[in-house]
Amino acid sequence: MATSRLRAWLGRPIDPASLAVFRIAFGTLMLIAVVRFFVHDWIAEYYLTPTHFFTYRGFGWVKPWPGHGMYVHFAVMGACAALIIVGLWYRVATALFTVLFAYAHLIDKTNYLNHYYLLICLGALMTVLPLHACASIDAWRSERVRRLVVPAWALYAIRLQLGLVYFFGGIAKLKYDWLVDAQPMQIWLSANTDFPVVGRYFSEPAVAYVFSWAGLVFDLGIVPCLLWRRTRAVAYAAVVVFHVTTAQLFHIGMFPWIMMASSLIFLPPSWPRRLLRLRAWPPGQTATWRPRLVPAVLATYFAIQLVLPLRHFAYPGNVCWTEEGFRFAWHVMVMEKDGSLELHVREPSTGRHWEVAPTDYLTRYQARMMATQPDMILELAHIVADDFRTRGIVDPEVRVDAFASLDGRRRMRLVDPTVDLARETDSLMPASWILPLSDAAPASLVTVNSQHGARP
């Protein structure tokens, strides 16, 4: 009986208008994102200038295209985004955009951002959902595509994906640094005391506590408030204020604008018709679009989405320090971390020794991001070892002096300097060579190639 009621609730017919607006907003934001890559010449900076890339486990085959291939790659992405906006060849355009977007951002872990991952997730969902059922060229051209109603689960799938971002983003803030020390908020606000009107108060500790706790309450409470009719208007106003504030204070790219536009999906399905005073949505229709495999695929997908952000609990230590299980878990702006390191290469047979700077192999941006992420440090050690082998050095040993600071703590060693990282392998098991976080650890006396900057 309960299963039947659930199926009836998920399959009930709803107005596709809000899904169409979501499609248009997604395509518009993606087109803007592609244009920004061209305007700021990020394609050359991220894909053509580097000589080495940090690969994802199992995706080492993903490489930049030769020549001008990456420019063509992004141009096709832009064309797909435009097709998504107008709803022409919607499924093919959405699928191709998602594959191309995922490919570009699997090339180098340096460029990982939570909202890039979110866009891949949303693109994958949109590929199987009927977001072109109305307000699209496909619907205008084909009666098979055009529908007055769609099943409710098409709407709930997108709501659930966005809800997971907020929920796990709030769970990630349930830690001592955030709640008790108001860190890293104190660091971030202290760097913005020149902010108009209110910036002069940002150096006050109480303000950092207010921002920290407000961020936690917002993440955990905003979705229920958006879904409840009585609080919906105030809740969406809070979404706008929250994300505009974070955009102005922290300069975190398009994430705030993506969340503001996407959160409109929590409004009633017919809100665009009421806003534009279009013909009322006809009641009493039946949602006839019931593909057999899509519900099962979505159930499997969301089971993974529920488990993946929890995997860091299988690793010892502070996830913000070790970063084991950090990615793909919606740890959105929860830490401030900077680091520095040197690599020491030794030839065992002769005892010869070399000191290596990360920028000998990496761009400055890659070196800054790598210095605080142990798995990237390990990969750099292997890159260096491979390079020395090509120079005729037999079985080189690579050890690292790496120091990092988390949320305002004094710098301390991040990895064991006695371990030959060239002999260590990247695996799903906890890395024994990552040293534990200790507030009592001594500060670093070595700050060679110091790298600073918040993780977006």
Side-chain angles (χ1 to χ4, degrees):
M1 182 65 70
T3 302
S4 299
R5 290 180 179 177
L6 177 62
R7 293 183 63 180
W9 180 69
L10 292 175
R12 65 186 178 87
I14 63 166
D15 190 342
S18 65
L19 291 172
V21 170
F22 184 89
R23 184 199 79 234
I24 294 169
F26 180 90
T28 302
L29 288 168
M30 294 308 93
L31 184 57
I32 293 172
V34 170
V35 169
R36 291 177 78 226
F37 266 81
F38 279 98
V39 169
H40 295 286
D41 204 20
W42 289 336
I43 298 173
E45 180 180 350
Y46 295 151
Y47 303 109
L48 305 183
T49 301
T51 56
H52 298 281
F53 298 92
F54 294 99
T55 60
Y56 288 88
R57 189 182 297 113
F59 290 92
W61 53 272
V62 180
K63 303 290 184 184
W65 303 112
H68 296 290
M70 290 307 299
Y71 287 99
V72 175
H73 185 106
F74 274 81
V76 175
M77 283 172 52
C80 289
L83 293 175
I84 292 171
I85 295 172
V86 299
L88 176 61
W89 306 315
Y90 163 74
R91 292 197 188 281
V92 173
T94 306
L96 181 57
F97 175 87
T98 304
V99 170
L100 293 177
F101 190 90
Y103 186 99
H105 297 292
L106 284 172
I107 290 173
D108 193 350
K109 278 190 285 193
T110 302
N111 304 321
Y112 173 82
L113 292 173
N114 284 289
H115 63 273
Y116 289 167
Y117 174 47
L118 173 61
L119 294 173
I120 294 169
C121 292
L122 290 174
L125 282 175
M126 290 170 61
T127 301
V128 301
L129 299 178
L131 273 62
H132 59 331
C134 70
S136 72
I137 295 178
D138 286 346
W140 173 68
R141 296 170 61 190
S142 171
E143 292 185 4
R144 183 178 61 85
V145 173
R146 184 168 58 251
R147 297 183 184 87
L148 296 176
V149 297
V150 293
W153 54 259
L155 175 69
Y156 297 152
I158 297 178
R159 285 181 174 180
L160 179 55
Q161 179 64 77
L162 294 170
L164 290 175
V165 176
Y166 281 120
F167 174 74
F168 283 114
I171 294 298
K173 293 177 174 66
L174 293 174
K175 51 173 58 74
Y176 188 93
D177 285 7
W178 189 273
L179 299 178
V180 179
D181 289 339
Q183 290 288 13
M185 192 61 69
Q186 289 196 44
I187 297 172
W188 295 339
L189 292 181
S190 295
N192 283 278
T193 54
D194 58 345
F195 194 76
V197 183
V198 297
R200 57 181 174 172
Y201 302 109
F202 285 173
S203 59
E204 297 293 331
V207 176
Y209 280 95
V210 170
F211 270 72
S212 291
W213 280 83
L216 172 67
V217 172
F218 176 85
D219 282 347
L220 293 180
I222 193 62
V223 170
C225 290
L226 283 169
L227 292 173
W228 191 26
R229 181 178 58 83
R230 293 185 178 181
T231 57
R232 186 174 292 136
V234 175
Y236 190 74
V239 167
V240 173
V241 171
F242 179 87
H243 287 299
V244 168
T245 301
T246 56
Q248 296 301 313
L249 281 176
F250 307 126
H251 308 291
I252 51 176
M254 295 192 66
F255 181 73
W257 314 107
I258 292 169
M259 296 308 290
M260 274 189 286
S262 298
S263 295
L264 290 169
I265 202 69
F266 292 101
L267 303 184
S270 295
W271 73 264
R273 294 186 191 276
R274 294 200 296 269
L275 180 66
L276 299 176
R277 298 182 178 179
L278 299 176
R279 186 177 61 182
W281 175 62
Q285 300 290 326
T286 302
T288 59
W289 189 71
R290 296 175 181 175
R292 295 179 180 179
L293 293 179
V294 173
V297 170
L298 290 177
T300 302
Y301 170 82
F302 281 113
I304 295 172
Q305 286 290 312
L306 286 168
V307 173
L308 197 62
L310 301 175
R311 73 192 190 283
H312 68 87
F313 289 111
Y315 295 95
N318 187 320
V319 63
C320 292
W321 179 252
T322 68
E323 303 210 25
E324 294 180 298
F326 182 89
R327 299 185 191 93
F328 314 113
W330 311 120
H331 293 282
V332 183
M333 287 197 68
V334 294
M335 68 175 180
E336 170 70 15
K337 197 174 181 185
D338 66 81
S340 63
L341 65 83
E342 273 190 349
L343 299 102
H344 302 275
V345 182
R346 179 178 177 272
E347 185 178 32
S349 60
T350 64
R352 286 191 297 173
H353 177 270
W354 296 265
E355 291 187 2
V356 178
T359 49
D360 292 343
Y361 294 87
L362 309 174
T363 66
R364 291 189 178 277
Y365 178 67
Q366 285 179 312
R368 184 173 74 248
M369 300 303 290
M370 173 276 307
T372 62
Q373 301 181 64
D375 64 333
M376 292 172 66
I377 293 174
L378 175 64
E379 189 166 352
L380 177 60
H382 281 267
I383 290 172
V384 172
D386 291 341
D387 178 52
F388 272 80
R389 290 188 187 100
T390 64
R391 303 183 195 181
I393 305 303
V394 179
D395 200 21
E397 298 174 349
V398 181
R399 293 176 173 81
V400 174
D401 270 329
F403 296 87
S405 171
L406 176 65
D407 293 344
R409 294 173 175 84
R410 293 187 299 166
R411 287 200 172 194
M412 57 195 77
R413 285 194 182 274
L414 178 58
V415 302
D416 189 340
T418 67
V419 173
D420 177 12
L421 293 185
R423 298 182 183 277
E424 298 292 326
T425 58
D426 185 24
S427 73
L428 294 175
M429 300 301 293
S432 59
W433 46 269
I434 302 176
L435 296 177
L437 178 66
S438 172
D439 289 326
S444 166
L445 299 178
V446 182
T447 55
V448 180
N449 295 323
S450 179
Q451 308 294 341
H452 299 273
R455 294 282 301 282

